[in-house]
Amino acid sequence: MANITFITQDNIPVTVQGESGSVMELAVENNVAGIDGDCGGVCSCATCHVHVAKEQFSLVGQASEIEKDMLELDDDADEYSRLCCQIDITPELDGLVLTVAGQ
């Protein structure tokens, strides 16, 4: 089980719990504002773009090359950007805080 907090674009923290699947699926199931997951989690739309806090980035690891290519198309991307459809929920993510990227 992992408790993951999303900070929405309105600066509202939303904490949700998950056991499996992707972080994007968890956000969509819990109606987290700003996480759309339009492509269904196949890394082709960037509607689940989040910023990971620098001190927690090692928890989620580096983006794959395909993910990096998608993020290059987003003006709000930075070195701590990830597409949360590409982050699998694990117990190690308990306490993770993600900031929803501006659209």
Side-chain angles (χ1 to χ4, degrees):
M1 180 77 62
N3 289 303
I4 299 172
T5 300
F6 293 87
I7 307 299
T8 68
Q9 296 165 2
D10 295 327
N11 206 34
I12 298 170
V14 178
T15 301
V16 294
Q17 287 185 338
E19 291 186 41
S20 62
S22 75
V23 172
M24 180 275 299
E25 291 168 330
L26 181 66
V28 170
E29 289 168 6
N30 288 280
N31 299 311
V32 174
I35 302 292
D36 298 327
D38 289 344
C39 72
V42 296
C43 196
S44 66
C45 71
T47 61
C48 66
H49 178 192
V50 294
H51 297 280
V52 183
K54 178 180 179 179
E55 62 274 6
Q56 291 188 309
F57 197 76
S58 63
L59 294 174
V60 298
Q62 294 291 325
S64 69
E65 288 304 315
I66 293 170
E67 185 179 350
K68 287 178 184 177
D69 289 345
M70 286 304 306
L71 286 166
E72 284 180 7
L73 301 174
D74 192 321
D75 292 338
D76 194 31
D78 64 22
E79 62 189 301
Y80 302 109
S81 290
R82 289 293 312 268
L83 299 180
C84 63
C85 68
Q86 300 301 296
I87 304 171
D88 291 325
I89 298 170
T90 64
E92 291 76 26
L93 294 185
D94 189 44
L96 181 66
V97 178
L98 302 170
T99 302
V100 177
Q103 302 289 329

PDB file of all heavy atoms in Angstrom, residues 34 39 43 88:
ATOM      1  N   GLY A  34      -6.464  17.665 -13.119  1.00  0.00           N
ATOM      2  CA  GLY A  34      -5.269  17.903 -13.914  1.00  0.00           C
ATOM      3  C   GLY A  34      -4.591  16.640 -14.424  1.00  0.00           C
ATOM      4  O   GLY A  34      -3.682  16.716 -15.241  1.00  0.00           O
ATOM      5  N   CYS A  39      -4.530   8.957 -23.094  1.00  0.00           N
ATOM      6  CA  CYS A  39      -4.085   7.833 -23.933  1.00  0.00           C
ATOM      7  C   CYS A  39      -4.260   6.482 -23.233  1.00  0.00           C
ATOM      8  O   CYS A  39      -3.934   5.447 -23.795  1.00  0.00           O
ATOM      9  CB  CYS A  39      -2.637   8.015 -24.373  1.00  0.00           C
ATOM     10  SG  CYS A  39      -1.427   7.770 -23.054  1.00  0.00           S
ATOM     11  N   CYS A  43       1.776   6.142 -22.769  1.00  0.00           N
ATOM     12  CA  CYS A  43       2.877   7.098 -22.940  1.00  0.00           C
ATOM     13  C   CYS A  43       2.824   7.808 -24.291  1.00  0.00           C
ATOM     14  O   CYS A  43       3.824   7.935 -24.975  1.00  0.00           O
ATOM     15  CB  CYS A  43       4.222   6.383 -22.747  1.00  0.00           C
ATOM     16  SG  CYS A  43       5.626   7.485 -22.466  1.00  0.00           S
ATOM     17  N   ASP A  88       4.903   2.807 -11.720  1.00  0.00           N
ATOM     18  CA  ASP A  88       4.123   1.741 -11.094  1.00  0.00           C
ATOM     19  C   ASP A  88       4.052   1.958  -9.595  1.00  0.00           C
ATOM     20  O   ASP A  88       5.041   2.334  -8.956  1.00  0.00           O
ATOM     21  CB  ASP A  88       4.756   0.374 -11.380  1.00  0.00           C
ATOM     22  CG  ASP A  88       4.636  -0.028 -12.839  1.00  0.00           C
ATOM     23  OD1 ASP A  88       3.605   0.309 -13.467  1.00  0.00           O
ATOM     24  OD2 ASP A  88       5.563  -0.676 -13.347  1.00  0.00           O
TER      25      ASP A  88
END
